[in-house]
Amino acid sequence: MIRAGRKQGPYRPRTEETLDAGKLELGEDFQDAECLLISEVKVLLEAQYESKKEEKNLTDVYTKTLEYVQKFSRYTNRDTIKEVRALLKPTNLEPF
């Protein structure tokens, strides 16, 4: 049965797997994913902002996320963001 009003994504069979983000157990989808810095997310969202604004395709979640990353992003220069990423890479810190 499909419920009206619900978006249907790709079919994924239900598993009995219990994941715990606190233990960095994020599931199969995030196995090889790399975490982004807030500053990197800001650059990506701002790059899309103008085209989305013109198309009037801005969702509330998009707008609030953009406001959040603009408020808490420490680095604004792309070169600085690249340098910070390079400095963090050789450390033993968990990216999550």
Side-chain angles (χ1 to χ4, degrees):
M1 176 195 298
I2 297 176
R3 293 183 188 163
R6 252 184 102 185
K7 289 185 179 179
Q8 296 295 318
Y11 173 74
R12 293 187 187 176
R14 295 193 185 267
T15 62
E16 295 300 318
E17 181 180 21
T18 303
L19 303 175
D20 184 358
K23 295 178 184 175
L24 300 179
E25 298 169 356
L26 302 175
E28 190 176 303
D29 293 341
F30 295 96
Q31 196 67 25
D32 297 321
E34 189 172 319
C35 294
L36 295 175
L37 301 170
I38 290 177
S39 299
E40 293 170 321
V41 175
K42 177 182 175 252
V43 168
L44 293 172
L45 292 178
E46 285 180 342
Q48 291 182 332
Y49 179 74
E50 287 304 317
S51 65
K52 285 187 175 285
K53 187 173 89 173
E54 289 173 6
E55 297 171 7
K56 296 184 175 149
N57 199 12
L58 293 173
T59 64
D60 193 37
V61 172
Y62 181 91
T63 306
K64 287 182 180 184
T65 304
L66 181 59
E67 290 171 2
Y68 176 88
V69 296
Q70 287 174 333
K71 184 173 185 175
F72 292 104
S73 178
R74 178 170 284 181
Y75 311 106
T76 56
N77 183 323
R78 287 184 183 199
D79 292 331
T80 305
I81 295 169
K82 287 178 186 177
E83 288 181 38
V84 169
R85 171 66 69 183
L87 288 171
L88 290 174
K89 211 160 199 65
T91 65
N92 290 329
L93 296 172
E94 280 292 335
F96 182 71

